[in-house]
Amino acid sequence: MRSLLALLLVTLALAALCCCEKDPKRPSGSLSADSIKITKEVANAFVKRRKRSSPYEWYFEFYKSPLEQQHERCENYPPCDYLADQVGFALAYSRFFGRY
């Protein structure tokens, strides 16, 4: 029993030493802002802006359809938004704002 306990203590001590060992490459203390910056080339490698392929896509990026405007109007009015969750958008919108 004592040998098992001794073995367990030695294993725990070695695990603590391995986990608590400091990295010689990293200076002690907090990281500075310069150490986390990356260059533009590296950032652009994984953050690419999607190009618009047609004027149709460009137009609908800036102008919303009437139905989408109605959805936003209903979402911004809490009683309509709550009722839309219960009975649906069309009934909730007509209840609070009249017909389409």
Side-chain angles (χ1 to χ4, degrees):
M1 183 71 171
R2 288 183 188 227
S3 62
L4 183 61
L5 183 60
L7 181 63
L8 181 64
L9 287 175
V10 169
T11 306
L12 287 174
L14 288 174
L17 285 174
C18 291
C19 291
C20 297
E21 183 179 334
K22 290 187 178 183
D23 189 8
K25 295 177 184 174
R26 187 173 16 166
S28 62
S30 63
L31 296 174
S32 66
D34 295 332
S35 65
I36 59 173
K37 290 184 180 177
I38 59 175
T39 63
K40 280 186 178 182
E41 292 79 21
V42 173
N44 287 335
F46 61 91
V47 179
K48 295 270 184 200
R49 185 168 180 240
R50 200 178 83 199
K51 306 255 187 229
R52 290 175 206 84
S53 60
S54 70
Y56 180 79
E57 291 177 6
W58 178 85
Y59 176 81
F60 282 107
E61 184 176 329
F62 292 105
Y63 301 103
K64 297 177 183 171
S65 69
L67 186 60
E68 188 174 353
Q69 290 174 356
Q70 290 174 351
H71 272 281
E72 288 183 356
R73 185 176 180 195
C74 186
E75 287 174 357
N76 290 334
Y77 187 57
C80 183
D81 189 33
Y82 179 75
L83 189 62
D85 291 339
Q86 305 299 317
V87 297
F89 165 72
L91 291 174
Y93 189 85
S94 63
R95 163 77 168 82
F96 289 99
F97 302 108
R99 296 186 58 113
Y100 284 75

